[in-house]
Amino acid sequence: LEYMTLGTWAVTVFLIYRSRRRKHRVTAVLAGVSLLAALFLSGTFIKALLDETRQVADDQYGTELGPLSVGVCEVSIPPHHVSGQVETTSIFEWEFVANRLEDIVIEETSPHDVAEFEQSLAKTLGQASRKDIFLFVHGFNTSFADAADRTAQLVHDMRFQGVPAFFSWPSQAILTEYKTDERHVAQSVEPFRRYLRMLIVDTKPATIHVLAHSMGNQLLTKALAGWDLKEELGPGEELPEIRLILAAPDVDAGHFCDEIADEIHIHADHVTLYTSPSDMALLASQMEHHGKPRLGMWHFDDYAAFVRASPYLAEDAKEPFPEVESIIYIAEHSIPKELGHGYYAHHPDVIVDLSQLINEYRSAAERTMPSEETVLGAEGMRVWQLR
């Protein structure tokens, strides 16, 4: 990234010098475009440096693969927090040091051994007003600190009264490292399974709500595939209720229909899928995957046409999965925040919808979101459009 930034600045200076000497309009336009690119890369580079400094200063976790590590992370929310926002330092506002009165701040990260962690978790669960666990699994381009901040923001905004948890796999936290992140997700399956076993089997909450975002859904679906949680139970033990929320999943849509949908229903008591046809980040992912449609930008309005148009779905592709409640988020006409990919955490209506789903166990038909219900096909599959 630093070489790209320096190279772009060098090209920019050269083009500006040429345009001033030769007075060529085309050269001047190229110089302007190059300047914008240089500024964007510089901002990205500075953000990466700040993230790295922040992680080192707070003794947090980085971008390399390693053994499973567990512990407790304390995060403070500023008194004037705005629902849906993760208040943090901004280089565009010349803020380089977090302010606890204005920013979400990681106060302390305390590593535990497994026994100590399970004892702490069981104690916290016993003291909570709700015996539920909320587990957040982050997506691409997300550091450990970002995942902790997002978990705290979601739990605070939803007013969740159980025990919050998150699983941070080693994302590079850089836009240009998509393929590296995808490899690290695939290599994090076994540690994630061990973590799930701690939360679900060893701790025994009443219910566990797992919200996976974007590439985090690759980790979740890979972990559940071919794994029978009931085999982990002792005599007379039962699994807690398991509720999954697939938020903007960066998962192959065809593979989900043919393989994953059945696999997750072996474990999950309830599944909610949030999609958006305006998700530009997943559009980029689709291009990265040679045009294979991503589940998180699914157009449910004409499933049959989707199957016919996709060479990646078998001719005998299964009908839509009626057990999965599908929520389509329709973004604003202007350029949506976070490329239309982070609506699950910042759009006020989606946050209220999540709160009613998680805190009150309401089905989509019972929730109060401003939505429009659509019934598809003879199977009676219902889809809700959230605007």
Side-chain angles (χ1 to χ4, degrees):
L1 185 61
E2 55 263 44
Y3 292 137
M4 289 174 60
T5 304
L6 289 172
T8 307
W9 274 113
V11 171
T12 300
V13 171
F14 173 74
L15 288 173
I16 291 174
Y17 172 75
R18 294 279 292 181
S19 65
R20 288 175 64 86
R21 289 199 62 183
R22 300 293 181 89
K23 306 295 183 182
H24 285 173
R25 183 174 298 177
V26 173
T27 307
V29 170
L30 290 174
V33 172
S34 182
L35 177 61
L36 290 174
L39 290 172
F40 173 78
L41 288 171
S42 298
T44 305
F45 178 57
I46 293 172
K47 180 181 182 300
L49 287 177
L50 288 174
D51 283 345
E52 185 174 351
T53 303
R54 182 182 176 199
Q55 288 179 353
V56 171
D58 292 335
D59 191 25
Q60 294 168 8
Y61 302 93
T63 59
E64 299 299 322
L65 289 163
L68 176 65
S69 177
V70 292
V72 176
C73 191
E74 296 183 13
V75 183
S76 65
I77 303 288
H80 303 294
H81 167 71
V82 178
S83 179
Q85 292 189 15
V86 173
E87 293 90 350
T88 186
T89 55
S90 171
I91 59 172
F92 300 106
E93 297 178 7
W94 297 98
E95 295 175 346
F96 299 96
V97 179
N99 181 349
R100 288 169 176 77
L101 295 177
E102 298 178 358
D103 303 319
I104 294 179
V105 176
I106 296 178
E107 300 286 356
E108 185 179 3
T109 301
S110 306
H112 289 21
D113 60 38
V114 171
E116 185 183 14
F117 174 76
E118 290 182 345
Q119 284 181 346
S120 173
L121 184 59
K123 180 181 178 182
T124 306
L125 190 65
Q127 295 172 344
S129 57
R130 285 187 60 186
K131 311 308 177 187
D132 290 4
I133 291 176
F134 170 76
L135 172 62
F136 176 64
V137 185
H138 68 78
F140 160 67
N141 187 28
T142 303
S143 67
F144 175 91
D146 293 337
D149 291 348
R150 179 64 79 190
T151 306
Q153 176 251 314
L154 283 168
V155 168
H156 179 275
D157 292 351
M158 293 189 300
R159 295 178 172 84
F160 180 67
Q161 299 300 312
V163 177
F166 70 99
F167 182 85
S168 179
W169 51 274
S171 166
Q172 301 302 290
I174 296 177
L175 282 171
T176 55
E177 294 291 337
Y178 183 89
K179 286 298 185 183
T180 303
D181 273 13
E182 208 163 38
R183 286 196 303 272
H184 282 189
V185 155
Q187 293 170 297
S188 299
V189 170
E190 285 306 318
F192 183 53
R193 282 181 174 177
R194 291 200 296 274
Y195 189 56
L196 282 176
R197 191 181 296 115
M198 289 182 204
L199 299 186
I200 297 174
V201 178
D202 298 339
T203 307
K204 298 180 179 61
T207 303
I208 182 166
H209 310 266
V210 184
L211 191 160
H213 176 236
S214 188
M215 194 181 284
N217 285 276
Q218 293 185 27
L219 180 58
L220 177 62
T221 54
K222 288 176 188 292
L224 294 180
W227 182 38
D228 189 355
L229 267 168
K230 293 180 180 178
E231 294 181 354
E232 309 289 341
L233 298 173
E237 292 182 333
E238 293 185 359
L239 288 173
E241 184 175 356
I242 300 173
R243 298 169 67 88
L244 306 181
I245 302 168
L246 315 181
D250 187 4
V251 173
D252 186 303
H255 181 59
F256 185 88
C257 271
D258 290 341
E259 303 291 342
I260 299 172
D262 286 342
E263 289 277 1
I264 63 176
H265 281 297
I266 296 174
H267 306 286
D269 297 282
H270 187 273
V271 182
T272 301
L273 169 64
Y274 284 93
T275 71
S276 173
S278 305
D279 194 324
M280 289 186 281
L282 288 185
L283 179 61
S285 173
Q286 181 169 312
M287 295 170 63
E288 183 72 26
H289 290 90
H290 310 290
K292 293 184 179 180
R294 314 314 288 169
L295 183 63
M297 58 179 302
W298 199 300
H299 295 263
F300 279 98
D301 55 342
D302 193 353
Y303 177 80
F306 175 83
V307 172
R308 287 195 299 269
S310 174
Y312 305 102
L313 294 179
E315 292 182 2
D316 60 346
K318 299 174 183 177
E319 293 300 324
F321 22 90
E323 303 89 349
V324 179
E325 289 194 326
S326 305
I327 314 296
I328 298 182
Y329 167 72
I330 307 298
E332 296 82 1
H333 294 297
S334 59
I335 296 177
K337 189 175 181 180
E338 296 182 16
L339 299 178
H341 195 53
Y343 58 88
Y344 75 103
H346 69 68
H347 193 282
D349 289 336
V350 182
I351 292 174
V352 170
D353 192 58
L354 281 172
S355 177
Q356 293 179 354
L357 167 65
I358 292 173
N359 293 328
E360 303 173 36
Y361 297 83
R362 294 192 196 183
S363 66
E366 298 170 329
R367 302 200 290 272
T368 59
M369 59 183 177
S371 60
E372 176 182 333
E373 180 182 353
T374 305
V375 179
L376 301 181
E379 298 77 15
M381 178 185 178
R382 294 185 295 173
V383 176
W384 284 263
Q385 292 189 356
L386 176 63
R387 297 181 182 274

